[in-house]
Amino acid sequence: SFIAALYIDKGLEYAETFCEICLFPKLFDDSKGLKFLDAKSRLQHSLVYTCKKKGQEIEPPHYRVLSVEGPLHNRKCTVAVYFRSQRLAVGIGLNIQSAGMAAAENALKNESVLIPKSLQK
């Protein structure tokens, strides 16, 4: 949205310059890669990479809430991430979102998921 606002306010030349200086180097620099993405995004990129390497149809991962326990001020949520009906990992967090992120982070440690060089920590 910032780039769109810059384009509307200053024009295409300013927006292109901003992207060339600030955005594109982070996206295409192999030393940094896509590590600035959250765990769920890195997992999805890794699964796309895995599918392409194996010549398979690309599918997104699916997240399922396994349990939500405890009072509102001290929840314990458990979420599992699945790919093609196979459970990759489980994560636990104080809310469903953080449990999903933990599940994705744990799935990235799974040896069956190929992680491109640009996503490795």
Side-chain angles (χ1 to χ4, degrees), residues 17-18 23 31 33 40 53 57 60-61 72 76 83 85 105:
T17 302
F18 172 80
L23 183 64
S31 67
K40 289 174 94 172
K53 278 288 203 188
E57 186 177 332
L72 287 175
K76 178 184 172 188
F83 182 66
S85 301
E105 195 68 54

Side-chain angles (χ1 to χ4, degrees), residues 26-54:
K26 288 185 179 183
L27 289 177
F28 301 117
D29 182 7
D30 282 339
S31 67
K32 291 186 177 76
L34 299 173
K35 294 177 208 158
F36 61 89
L37 296 174
D38 64 34
K40 289 174 94 172
S41 297
R42 289 195 323 267
L43 177 62
Q44 184 154 348
H45 282 282
S46 296
L47 291 173
V48 166
Y49 179 80
T50 300
C51 291
K52 285 183 178 180
K53 278 288 203 188
K54 294 181 177 182

